[in-house]
Amino acid sequence: MSDRQRIAIVVGTRPEAIKLAPVIHELQRKRWARPVLVTTGQHGPVVHETLACFGLRAQVELTLPPGAHSVSELTAGLLSGLGKGLSTPAAQAVVVQGDTSSALAGAMAGFFSAIPVVHVEAGLRSGDLRSPFPEEAHRRMIAEVSDLHLAPTRAARRNLRAQGVPAGRIVVTGNTVIDAVFSASRRPSVQRDPTLHRIERTSAPLVLVTAHRRENWGAPIRRIGAAVATLSRQYPEVGFVVAAHMNPLVRNAIEDCLRGRPNVHLPGPIPYDTFARLLARSVLAITDSGGIQEEAAAFGLPVLVTRDNTERTEGIDFGLARLVGTQESEIVAAAEKEFAREGALSGDAERPFPPRNPYGDGRAARRCADACGWLLGKRPKPSELPEEP
């Protein structure tokens, strides 16, 4: 045990739990590694519930100070807690994922403690520092203090090189969410929630809807909800499943205009394995989530992205996703176009699946774990995600 390298894995939000769970499992299989899961409390109990879906639990649980609501207060509280959490006992490396406040604080805490920082899902860029806010700024700052950049795609590597990151510190791994969503979608349904049980058993075509991004708070989310309400009236044979956000203000903004619609399902937060199964059988996703753009690609599922730009440009390039903004008329028109495709609502339409999923091949977590070993001098540099044919 003394030869094992203590690797702190920082998880603050549900997406981080999903995307880092496969990496933790791979590190647990390595004789040289001792992964220590550190939860920050940013998303509260839902993180522990999501980790439980993957058979994981935290070894270190931090709590946020009360009243940490603004981005600056949240980041300050996270940085203070993680500074202590990473040093007792000292970690040999710290792994952060994505672009959250927890990821930024974890990277800064590692840097300030002279601990090598590994950034999973490095190199995503929208090109607009204030959109998405504050995630785009977080990504750029994390890159400045990271020692190893695990890029999900070659486009992400190009972004890192443009920022001045040395090529020798970048490994193209694919995105670990592909590993996670495939694993979760294959689990048998053991559904205790009666609402989710009914949704899983329905034979109606499903559209999965989410809305949560900070730049969409307020009027944009209400317009997304209005668009879904219009579509539900136009297509009574379609079921619209609105996956709720934890923040009640965000949740209410989209749900208020949808309550009482017979073909709109408002089940509240959805466990990840159930979510993955629903995604696999849906005919369309309407979302502002970056992660869902990637997860949908695993199943060749068309996505309408309710944003003005996206850092997941590969889905756009491959025709898997379309940017539609947040205007009701634009969302409705784009959905109508998808539904008009032959067989779209019967499940018989040919999905626009690319020759190779641009976000990965389901082996990203293994490459991430091997890259950590390379950083710590325990194994050779791993092979990268194969080139597109």
Side-chain angles (χ1 to χ4, degrees):
M1 182 66 71
S2 60
D3 292 334
R4 294 196 171 198
Q5 302 291 295
R6 186 175 185 268
I7 301 175
I9 316 290
V10 176
V11 171
T13 66
R14 186 174 187 260
E16 288 168 282
I18 293 165
K19 292 185 174 185
L20 287 176
V23 179
I24 296 168
H25 283 308
E26 289 293 335
L27 286 170
Q28 288 174 335
R29 297 186 181 104
K30 307 297 183 185
R31 294 183 177 180
W32 51 264
R34 184 189 169 205
V36 177
L37 176 53
V38 181
T39 55
T40 70
Q42 183 176 343
H43 269 187
V46 71
V47 168
H48 300 288
E49 295 165 8
T50 303
L51 290 169
C53 286
F54 295 93
L56 297 170
R57 60 182 300 175
Q59 286 77 52
V60 179
E61 296 184 31
L62 307 177
T63 55
L64 285 171
H69 300 304
S70 70
V71 176
S72 56
E73 291 169 335
L74 175 62
T75 304
L78 290 166
L79 181 56
S80 176
L82 284 166
K84 299 170 185 174
L86 298 181
S87 60
T88 53
Q92 279 72 53
V94 56
V95 176
V96 300
Q97 187 279 327
D99 50 27
T100 69
S101 295
S102 290
L104 175 63
M108 293 174 65
F111 177 76
F112 292 150
S113 301
I115 301 170
V117 175
V118 179
H119 187 197
V120 175
E121 198 180 84
L124 275 63
R125 299 290 185 271
S126 71
D128 182 347
L129 188 62
R130 295 191 175 277
S131 179
F133 178 86
E135 289 85 359
E136 178 74 5
H138 287 174
R139 296 178 193 125
R140 301 189 196 187
M141 289 188 279
I142 293 170
E144 292 295 334
V145 298
S146 294
D147 298 270
L148 177 59
H149 308 257
L150 303 182
T153 64
R154 282 174 178 75
R157 176 167 62 185
R158 290 193 293 272
N159 292 334
L160 290 165
R161 294 291 292 123
Q163 191 173 334
V165 174
R169 286 297 174 183
I170 305 171
V171 178
V172 180
T173 60
N175 200 303
T176 59
V177 79
I178 304 302
D179 308 36
V181 76
F182 275 149
S183 172
S185 68
R186 292 166 181 157
R187 292 181 195 148
S189 176
V190 184
Q191 194 57 259
R192 297 184 180 90
D193 185 293
T195 301
L196 290 174
H197 180 72
R198 287 193 299 272
I199 295 171
E200 285 212 72
R201 289 180 63 86
T202 183
S203 59
L206 296 179
V207 174
L208 196 61
V209 181
T210 74
H212 76 278
R213 298 204 77 88
R214 188 177 292 267
E215 64 267 28
N216 280 348
W217 286 10
I221 283 183
R222 290 192 291 273
R223 291 197 297 268
I224 295 168
V228 174
T230 297
L231 290 167
S232 72
R233 290 190 290 271
Q234 292 181 199
Y235 298 92
E237 74 278 22
V238 176
F240 294 82
V241 182
V242 182
H245 192 261
M246 286 76 66
N247 186 322
L249 296 178
V250 177
R251 177 178 177 178
N252 291 336
I254 190 170
E255 290 187 354
D256 280 349
C257 60
L258 295 171
R259 292 187 177 92
R261 296 293 312 156
N263 58 333
V264 175
H265 307 284
L266 306 173
I270 302 176
Y272 187 66
D273 54 348
T274 303
F275 174 85
R277 289 191 297 269
L278 292 175
L279 194 67
R281 56 155 295 195
S282 293
V283 298
L284 179 67
I286 300 174
T287 185
D288 60 7
S289 163
I292 293 176
Q293 293 174 57
E294 299 155 346
E295 291 160 326
F299 307 111
L301 177 66
V303 181
L304 302 183
V305 183
T306 51
R307 293 163 58 179
D308 295 325
N309 58 38
T310 180
E311 60 282 7
R312 273 82 172 178
T313 55
E314 296 83 0
I316 304 294
D317 295 340
F318 275 87
L320 292 164
R322 293 175 58 194
L323 286 170
V324 298
T326 61
Q327 295 300 322
E328 178 184 349
S329 60
E330 296 296 325
I331 298 169
V332 170
E336 290 172 339
K337 185 175 181 179
E338 288 294 335
F339 292 157
R341 289 188 301 114
E342 184 177 354
L345 296 182
S346 65
D348 297 329
E350 182 178 348
R351 288 185 171 182
F353 201 88
R356 180 178 291 135
N357 185 343
Y359 296 117
D361 58 3
R363 292 187 284 273
R366 187 183 311 167
R367 296 187 188 97
C368 289
D370 289 344
C372 290
W374 170 57
L375 176 70
L376 297 171
K378 296 296 182 180
R379 59 166 295 114
K381 186 176 183 178
S383 59
E384 295 190 311
L385 181 72
E387 293 275 3
E388 286 294 330

